Amino acid sequence: MKLIAYHLGLEIPQLRPAPVERPWMEATTSRFAYRCLPLNIANQYGWELLSPVSFEAEWDGGDHTTAIKITQLDDGWPEPMTHFGHGVLTFHVNCLFRTEPEVQLMVTGPINRPKDGIYPLSGIIETDWSHYTFTMNWLFTRPFHPVRFHKGEPIAHIMPVSLPMMEAVEPEVRALEQEEPDRWAGYQEWQVSRNAFNQGLAAGDPKALEEKWQRGYFRGIDHTGAKRPEHFTKVAVKPFPKG
C-alpha cells in the first residue's frame, strides 16, 4: 500500500512515524503506563505532523475570528490562524496526500497526547480521489487560558482507513459460552487469575509484588497458553523520505 505526500512547490510539513513515547507515560511510576500494550500500539499507529512554528494562543470566548489572539514565538511557516471562528484554531497542511482506491486518510489529534484547554478535531478525507488540501483544527475548551505549541510538537496524526470496509462490517452480538466454549473457559480462568493477582497485590503478597503485573496479553499468550505468532508489540511504520 502506498501513501504519497505530494508537495505543492513548497516544503511539505514535517512528518514522522508516531513514536511510542509520551511525556505523561514517562512520568508514571516505574513508567507503568507502557505496560498497557494497546496504548503503545495506538501511539505508533500512523504518522505525526509537526508544528512548523512555536506560538501561544488564547481565546476570549467569542465567536469571531478575532476572538483568538496568536503570538508567534519564533520563525516558521505556515503560521496557525483563526479561519472559522467559534474558538477554532487552524493549521494549514501544505501538501496533497494520495491513497490507493477505497483507502482514505483519517486526520486526528496526536494520539494519547492530551493538551490542557484545547481539543483536536478529527476528520476523514477521501484522499483516493480528492485534489483538495485540508486543514487540521483544534477547538478551545475554555476561554482566557493561554495554550502554547512548540516548533516540532505534534499537531496532527494521520492514518489510512477504509470507508468501504467500515460499511461492509455487519455487527453481531453472540453468547461466548455457547459459541466458543474453549475461549469462554479461557476467559473464566483469566478472570479468576486476575482477581487473585489483584487481591495479592493489595495484600502485599511477595510473589504478586515481584511479578508487578500480568503479562499474558503483552506476550501474546492466547486462551490455550500458546503464543500467537502474529502478535504485535510494536508497529514498524516507515518514515516519509525527505524531499
Side-chain angles (χ1 to χ4, degrees):
M1 181 186 297
K2 294 287 187 181
L3 173 59
I4 303 171
Y6 285 106
H7 70 75
L8 305 173
L10 299 166
E11 185 177 357
I12 67 170
Q14 281 188 276
L15 292 153
R16 72 180 183 192
V20 66
E21 295 83 10
R22 297 292 184 271
W24 71 267
M25 295 175 73
E26 295 286 333
T28 56
T29 303
S30 300
R31 302 171 74 244
F32 74 83
Y34 291 111
R35 300 172 189 174
C36 180
L37 185 58
L39 270 181
N40 296 348
I41 296 296
N43 286 355
Q44 303 170 78
Y45 192 80
W47 295 263
E48 290 179 334
L49 279 72
L50 309 182
S51 176
V53 64
S54 298
F55 67 94
E56 188 171 274
E58 185 174 345
W59 175 52
D60 69 10
D63 294 338
H64 198 268
T65 56
T66 58
I68 297 177
K69 179 184 177 182
I70 300 173
T71 303
Q72 192 164 328
L73 303 176
D74 55 23
D75 293 332
W77 181 89
E79 303 90 349
M81 61 180 298
T82 59
H83 180 70
F84 298 104
H86 298 275
V88 176
L89 179 70
T90 296
F91 294 89
H92 280 287
V93 178
N94 190 44
C95 65
L96 192 70
F97 288 99
R98 176 67 73 237
T99 47
E100 295 186 357
E102 299 192 345
V103 176
Q104 292 74 38
L105 197 66
M106 183 166 187
V107 183
T108 188
I111 291 177
N112 294 326
R113 290 185 185 271
K115 198 167 187 69
D116 188 26
I118 197 167
Y119 185 84
L121 304 180
S122 301
I124 295 177
I125 299 99
E126 293 183 32
T127 45
D128 52 343
W129 68 264
S130 173
H131 59 274
Y132 304 100
T133 59
F134 60 85
T135 59
M136 176 63 200
N137 299 285
W138 291 66
L139 179 67
F140 278 91
T141 56
R142 54 191 168 115
F144 305 110
H145 174 76
V147 172
R148 181 169 292 195
F149 285 81
H150 297 280
K151 182 182 288 190
E153 177 181 344
I155 57 171
H157 188 114
I158 62 173
M159 68 191 89
V161 296
S162 173
L163 295 177
M165 183 183 71
M166 182 60 68
E167 288 192 331
V169 173
E170 297 184 6
E172 297 182 359
V173 177
R174 299 185 181 186
L176 181 62
E177 185 175 8
Q178 283 75 43
E179 291 276 331
E180 296 192 48
D182 288 345
R183 194 176 298 273
W184 169 257
Y187 163 74
Q188 294 285 86
E189 182 180 337
W190 168 80
Q191 190 65 56
V192 170
S193 171
R194 184 176 182 82
N195 290 340
F197 181 78
N198 287 337
Q199 291 170 4
L201 281 178
D205 178 71
K207 183 178 180 181
L209 291 174
E210 182 180 1
E211 190 174 352
K212 296 182 181 178
W213 56 292
Q214 293 180 298
R215 298 169 172 83
Y217 180 79
F218 202 103
R219 292 171 174 165
I221 306 299
D222 71 9
H223 65 291
T224 69
K227 185 172 178 61
R228 306 302 301 173
E230 68 276 17
H231 177 59
F232 285 84
T233 57
K234 63 180 180 179
V235 185
V237 176
K238 297 179 177 62
F240 281 84
K242 294 181 179 180

